[in-house]
Amino acid sequence: MIDTERLEHKLDDFDPGRRREALDALWRNVESGRETVPEPGGEVNLHAHTFFSYNAYGYSPSGFAWLARKGGLAAAGIVDFDVLDAVEEFLEAGRLIGLRTCASLESRVFVPEFSRFVINSPGEPGVAYHMGVGFPRALSHPFLTEMRSAAEKRTRDMMSRVNVYLDPVALDFNRDVAPLTPRGNATERHLCAAYERKAEEVLPDPARRAAFWRERLGDAPATSTELQGLIRSKTMKKGGVGYVAPDSGSFPEMAKMNRFVIEAGAIPTVAWLDGSSDGERRMEEFVDVAMASGAAALNVIPDRNYGPKLGADKVKALYDVVALAERRGFPVIAGTEMNSPGQKFVDTFDADELKPLAPIFLRGAFIVYAHTALQRECGLGYLSPWAEKSFSSLDAKNRFFEAAGRALRPDAENKLSGVDAGVSPARLLERLQ
């Protein structure tokens, strides 16, 4: 008897050995014909967080990979905040189950040239969410150590301030917060979940607990999702007791992060929200600044921010920024985070608003997958010296990496063995097909 549900639950265990054991068992069932998965289709999600930062459904790298393969995604990608803890597991899972994968990192950076403008971190002038996309492997690096340490300090300091306000519902970081994520990389969202749990422990009577939340937050929402969202907005965001406005030293400069991303073999990537801020209304200028230190791709989160219910202005802004990316030769990375309950597993690419852009998102996914495989196996990634000398234009490079991404399947990466920087793009593509 196939116990798929039990194995899928085991995929999200904090023990990596149990996760691998479950994924192996699920794939053996597919190989034996006891379970079927569809052929890859045309949908992608290259922006899912895992439980190494925060996933609202508790998905591990293996858990997300399996569900993406089971769902017929053409490609899947993970993005965790400030850490690369999920990279090796996710890329290995993709190779095992025949899923095109990429692994990325997201953080916040300071952009001195835009210090007067709010960009895409609400209420924080000069601060931008920013990404490195397509890391070929995990690595140790001083920049990563600094990011992890700074993130933990911000979270601990925020918790200390909120503890005073929410007393007697007060947290101990090591006991109540760090265990919520496998390697202790706790975020604001982990704090919110921990405060909800602590309130149930300290105030077990529902009526008293509701009265407490009404007093401290102004409301006592009926659902866990609403309560955690209110805790976050009222205590941790701008105006809340836990919030401290960032300054130029709170986050690394974008140029420094871009240097790290390039050194690590990934692609510095501009993250875009919805075009409504002063900074994002200056996207041509912002992209110029980002490109000066190596940015070469654009990330968007389509359905959540530009769906049919959000109005024509935001849809137009999405089309405008994609057109800008196309003019600059930037691959466009698309996906949904799943960092809040209710978010979709994959964007609705067949919606009228998104359908014309779906081929661009799919092309971006193939480019980043090819980059990941080529950089990991033979150092011939999108920004490698080989790519720099082998293509006469960005358009030629993008066409090659798209074709390579379509041709190269995860279970056939041994085709890259023995390839070196002397190979021509045409010969390499011929070898992959």
Side-chain angles (χ1 to χ4, degrees), residues 319-338:
Y319 274 74
D320 287 346
V321 80
V322 170
L324 168 60
E326 294 275 274
R327 291 195 301 275
R328 299 301 183 94
F330 276 22
V332 181
I333 316 303
T336 182
E337 306 111 305
M338 291 186 289

Side-chain angles (χ1 to χ4, degrees), residues 37-315:
V37 294
E39 286 297 310
E43 296 180 325
V44 299
N45 181 358
L46 267 60
H47 199 107
H49 298 309
T50 79
F51 66 13
F52 282 110
S53 51
Y54 185 84
N55 182 285
Y57 307 101
Y59 294 153
S60 73
S62 295
F64 175 65
W66 167 253
L67 293 176
R69 184 68 181 88
K70 187 178 177 181
L73 268 62
I78 54 166
V79 181
D80 280 316
F81 267 95
D82 299 321
V83 296
L84 295 175
D85 294 344
V87 172
E88 293 295 337
E89 179 180 338
F90 188 65
L91 297 183
E92 290 293 338
R95 275 192 287 279
L96 173 67
I97 64 178
L99 174 71
R100 294 180 177 93
T101 54
C102 70
S104 305
L105 175 141
E106 185 171 13
S107 192
R108 283 187 288 178
V109 297
F110 182 67
V111 187
E113 298 87 345
F114 271 63
S115 61
R116 296 182 296 114
F117 305 115
V118 172
I119 307 167
N120 56 23
S121 186
E124 298 182 329
V127 178
Y129 285 87
H130 196 61
M131 296 171 62
V133 169
F135 284 85
R137 59 185 51 83
L139 73 160
S140 297
H141 193 283
F143 184 83
L144 282 174
T145 303
E146 291 171 17
M147 282 207 305
R148 187 189 289 267
S149 298
E152 180 174 332
K153 185 178 186 304
R154 286 195 301 270
T155 303
R156 283 179 177 269
D157 289 349
M158 177 178 289
M159 184 197 73
S160 297
R161 293 188 292 270
V162 176
N163 273 353
V164 174
Y165 182 70
L166 293 183
D167 185 67
V169 178
L171 301 176
D172 178 281
F173 186 88
N174 292 329
R175 183 182 65 238
D176 300 320
V177 182
L180 299 180
T181 183
R183 295 188 183 172
N185 181 42
T187 67
E188 291 176 9
R189 295 179 188 274
H190 290 105
L191 289 183
C192 295
Y195 278 118
E196 181 184 18
R197 293 184 185 186
K198 180 61 70 171
E200 292 172 354
E201 175 188 321
V202 174
L203 303 168
D205 178 66
R208 286 189 61 202
R209 193 164 63 247
F212 169 82
W213 288 126
R214 276 193 294 271
E215 177 189 347
R216 302 305 166 91
L217 304 178
D219 194 7
T223 70
S224 175
T225 300
E226 292 169 346
L227 175 60
Q228 291 185 29
L230 193 62
I231 294 170
R232 190 167 182 242
S233 65
K234 292 288 188 178
T235 69
M236 301 176 192
K237 293 304 183 183
K238 189 174 182 180
V241 295
Y243 178 80
V244 173
D247 57 30
S248 60
S250 298
F251 302 102
E253 290 193 6
M254 179 167 64
K256 183 176 181 181
M257 180 169 170
N258 285 350
R259 286 195 296 273
F260 156 70
V261 170
I262 292 170
E263 287 175 14
I267 305 170
T269 298
V270 173
W272 191 75
L273 183 59
D274 61 9
S276 62
S277 70
D278 287 343
E280 289 198 336
R281 283 194 286 268
R282 295 168 170 81
M283 279 305 291
E284 290 274 5
E285 181 184 350
F286 187 81
V287 168
D288 285 341
V289 170
M291 289 180 70
S293 59
L298 174 76
N299 180 87
V300 299
I301 305 172
D303 199 284
R304 172 184 162 190
N305 292 322
Y306 327 107
K309 297 180 181 179
L310 296 179
D313 288 347
K314 286 197 174 183
V315 174

Side-chain angles (χ1 to χ4, degrees), residues 2-11 19-32 34-37 62-63 66-67 70 96-97:
I2 301 176
D3 191 355
T4 299
E5 185 175 345
R6 179 185 62 82
L7 290 171
E8 288 181 343
H9 179 74
K10 192 176 171 182
L11 282 176
R19 297 197 297 272
R20 180 57 192 248
E21 182 181 88
L23 189 63
D24 286 344
L26 286 164
W27 195 244
R28 282 197 301 271
N29 288 338
V30 173
E31 291 180 319
S32 67
R34 289 178 290 174
E35 179 146 2
T36 60
V37 294
S62 295
W66 167 253
L67 293 176
K70 187 178 177 181
L96 173 67
I97 64 178

